[in-house]
Amino acid sequence: MIANLTEPQRGHLAMLGFSALVAGSFSLGGMSAGFIEPEVLNAVRFVVAGAVMALAAWLSGGMSRSVWVAPWRYFVLAGLFVFYFVTMFEGLKTAEPVSMAAVFTLNPALSAMFGYVLIRQITTARMALAIVIGGIGALWVIFRGDPDLAMRFEIGHGEMIYFWGCIAHALYAPLVRVFSRGEPALAFTAGVLVAGALILCLWAGPGLVAADWANMPNIVWVTIFYTAIAATGLTFLAVRYAALRLPAAKVMAYTYLVPSWVILWELAMGRTVPTAMVLPGVALTVLALVMLLKDEEPQVASA
């Protein structure tokens, strides 16, 4: 069945998996954030993910010498994701997973802006309307459907920290096109993850040594390995695969599904979910996704 899909359709399928996998990291991250420092957790997850993806790339025959030409590209991309993941886990110390996922849905607007600036990808009128609707839905969830909070513009400390990380995340998708030189997807992803592991090990060195690994709760280990393999390696691969087949705004459109996936994750793990007041906001984000995914010819501005 997958073999019969067009290249853009395969990109959409990759991003559907991306949204489900990313959602799990919010729920697991919320459960483990109080037991380990964000940079320490992410250092371990990047080491694990980098090792697994590098091995997979080597076994597939894609780890040629040409992959390591201009390695600075991997460090630039890795720096963006390192910043994103650390701010995410720092934000989860005080913010609810669904609220954090709503902040994540602001990424399409940011990606559309960066896509135009970096590679002249034009956002059509319908895409712009969808992004506005999705942004309204995200804000509805962030403010928990409370007009008083919205009028006072009271955004939680965790959500504000994470927003800065989302700016870095949104910049990643268009930069993949700028920096890609035709490398195999596995090898390219491995390069980013290895670079990220080096950055984080230097940053979190003292914390890695001081951590009480022998007495670390099981949820921390579950979070580390889930985020390393599923929410890092596979999602990096999915974004890279989709970014070469879809406009940046459409790649990030799937972030609109993340709050809905997070609610399902929270229910599956027996945790409390937001009140019904946030559901209209979630519905608006899903509507934005449908609007963004309607087929249309990609438009690229002249240089």
Side-chain angles (χ1 to χ4, degrees), residues 248-303:
K250 286 197 175 187
V251 171
M252 289 296 101
Y254 279 91
T255 62
Y256 288 137
L257 276 185
V258 174
S260 299
W261 281 117
V262 170
I263 290 175
L264 294 177
W265 272 89
E266 295 287 284
L267 287 171
M269 291 190 291
R271 303 185 71 201
T272 58
V273 296
T275 65
M277 288 297 295
V278 307
L279 294 181
V282 173
L284 286 175
T285 61
V286 174
L287 173 61
L289 170 69
V290 173
M291 293 178 66
L292 279 172
L293 296 186
K294 185 177 179 182
D295 289 337
E296 64 184 0
E297 291 298 320
Q299 300 182 39
V300 180
S302 57

Side-chain angles (χ1 to χ4, degrees), residues 89 141 152 163 199 208 232:
F89 281 88
V141 177
R152 296 196 299 269
F163 174 72
I199 293 171
L208 285 167
T232 304

Side-chain angles (χ1 to χ4, degrees), residues 62 67 72 80 119 123 165 193 214-215 230 235 238 240 260 283 285 294 301:
V67 171
W72 60 267
L80 294 173
I119 53 179
T123 300
L193 292 174
N215 296 309
T235 58
R240 198 264 185 183
S260 299
T285 61
K294 185 177 179 182

Side-chain angles (χ1 to χ4, degrees), residues 127-178:
M127 290 175 70
L129 177 60
I131 287 171
V132 170
I133 291 174
I136 293 171
L139 291 173
W140 186 294
V141 177
I142 292 168
F143 292 121
R144 300 183 291 282
D146 188 335
D148 290 336
L149 288 180
M151 291 298 292
R152 296 196 299 269
F153 207 70
E154 291 187 5
I155 299 176
H157 180 65
E159 289 91 341
M160 183 60 72
I161 290 174
Y162 182 51
F163 174 72
W164 292 106
C166 286
I167 292 176
H169 189 284
L171 185 56
Y172 180 87
L175 278 183
V176 166
R177 284 201 178 193
V178 175

